[in-house]
Amino acid sequence: MAVKAARDDEILYMFIEKHEFFILKTASKTAKHYISKKDDEWSVALVAFSDAIKKYDYERGSFISFAELLIHRNLVDYYRSQGRHSLESQDEGIEDKAVIESKDNNLKWEIEALTQVLKEYRFTFMDLADCSPKAAKTKEACAKAVSYILDNPILVKEMRALKRLPTKIIEKNSKVPRKILERHRKYIIAAVEILYGDYPYLSEYLVYIKEGMK
């Protein structure tokens, strides 16, 4: 999406709007206090995020981490230009350290966000521990079902609208047994929401599905 946003103004606008909370959250972490759209830091962070989209290279890793780095750097430069030197005394390489230390927090925020989404399906994030596939063949079958849904966005819309898995269609077209679809329904729904949504850190735990989609 970041790569597409760099090439299309309409996608760019939607991409920035979708990440407003992320931009404010990242700016607040650097500023050490809450930042709103009324603050100067918002403008600085927004410019940095837009710059990250233009400069991002897909081959170099996570866009989110890269955007965090640029927002932090730009805010540090902004504070220095304003004569606020409280950040200057920090160690060299603070940007990289900040990105590393923020990963756990970002993962926590993603889990909290996903938990709210899963509530609409009437199950919790903690339920996934009991319904996640363990055997290699079962994981492969679930990955096949998830990939099929993601390859057909209309099914994602149906799943989100009706708050249920379109089992019959998946079984018929992906050839995944109904028994597996029903037993691992919660896991499949969560995986679709993660990979279709904006959860870069949680999606790292589903790399085997992403690899199979290439």
Side-chain angles (χ1 to χ4, degrees):
M1 287 298 296
V3 173
K4 290 180 180 178
R7 303 170 182 167
D8 188 304
D9 288 342
E10 185 175 349
I11 296 177
L12 174 64
Y13 174 78
M14 294 174 61
F15 190 69
I16 291 176
E17 186 176 45
K18 182 179 180 180
H19 287 81
E20 284 184 355
F21 173 74
F22 162 77
I23 297 170
L24 287 169
K25 175 190 69 179
T26 305
S28 297
K29 285 194 296 183
T30 299
K32 307 298 183 184
H33 62 83
Y34 176 74
I35 297 296
S36 73
K37 288 185 179 181
K38 296 180 180 180
D39 297 309
D40 292 339
E41 286 90 341
W42 159 251
S43 298
V44 175
L46 183 60
V47 170
F49 186 81
S50 299
D51 197 32
I53 295 174
K54 297 175 184 177
K55 296 180 178 179
Y56 175 61
D57 181 353
Y58 182 78
E59 299 298 327
R60 298 186 65 180
S62 167
F63 168 76
I64 292 297
S65 294
F66 180 60
E68 282 181 317
L69 181 61
L70 262 61
I71 291 173
H72 180 80
R73 284 177 175 171
N74 279 31
L75 282 171
V76 169
D77 289 343
Y78 166 73
Y79 287 136
R80 287 172 178 167
S81 70
Q82 296 296 309
R84 294 161 65 179
H85 302 292
S86 60
L87 294 174
E88 285 193 53
S89 61
Q90 298 185 48
D91 297 334
E92 292 183 6
I94 184 175
E95 293 92 348
D96 295 326
K97 182 179 179 182
V99 170
I100 293 172
E101 291 179 343
S102 70
K103 183 172 182 178
D104 287 342
N105 284 330
N106 284 327
L107 182 59
K108 179 181 177 182
W109 283 319
E110 285 188 14
I111 290 174
E112 290 175 352
L114 181 64
T115 296
Q116 296 304 312
V117 171
L118 298 183
K119 277 184 180 179
E120 298 180 9
Y121 293 94
R122 297 188 177 181
F123 66 91
T124 69
F125 184 83
M126 298 304 295
D127 291 335
L128 299 178
D130 295 326
C131 63
S132 297
K134 304 298 188 297
K137 287 186 178 180
T138 308
K139 289 181 69 175
E140 183 179 346
C142 288
K144 190 175 181 181
V146 173
S147 297
Y148 176 72
I149 297 171
L150 293 173
D151 286 339
N152 295 274
I154 191 171
L155 292 182
V156 179
K157 291 182 179 180
E158 179 182 333
M159 185 188 82
R160 286 178 160 180
L162 302 178
K163 303 306 176 187
R164 62 177 176 80
L165 199 64
T167 305
K168 290 183 179 180
I169 297 176
I170 300 171
E171 180 187 17
K172 179 180 178 180
N173 295 287
S174 70
K175 307 303 179 184
V176 175
R178 174 180 285 269
K179 185 177 181 180
I180 290 179
L181 294 175
E182 292 178 346
R183 180 179 299 170
H184 301 285
R185 174 185 64 85
K186 296 175 182 178
Y187 174 82
I188 294 171
I189 289 173
V192 171
E193 286 289 354
I194 290 170
L195 295 175
Y196 194 79
D198 182 26
Y199 303 94
Y201 293 97
L202 281 174
S203 67
E204 291 178 8
Y205 294 91
L206 299 172
V207 65
Y208 75 99
I209 296 179
K210 293 193 291 183
E211 289 296 325
M213 292 174 63
K214 292 181 179 180

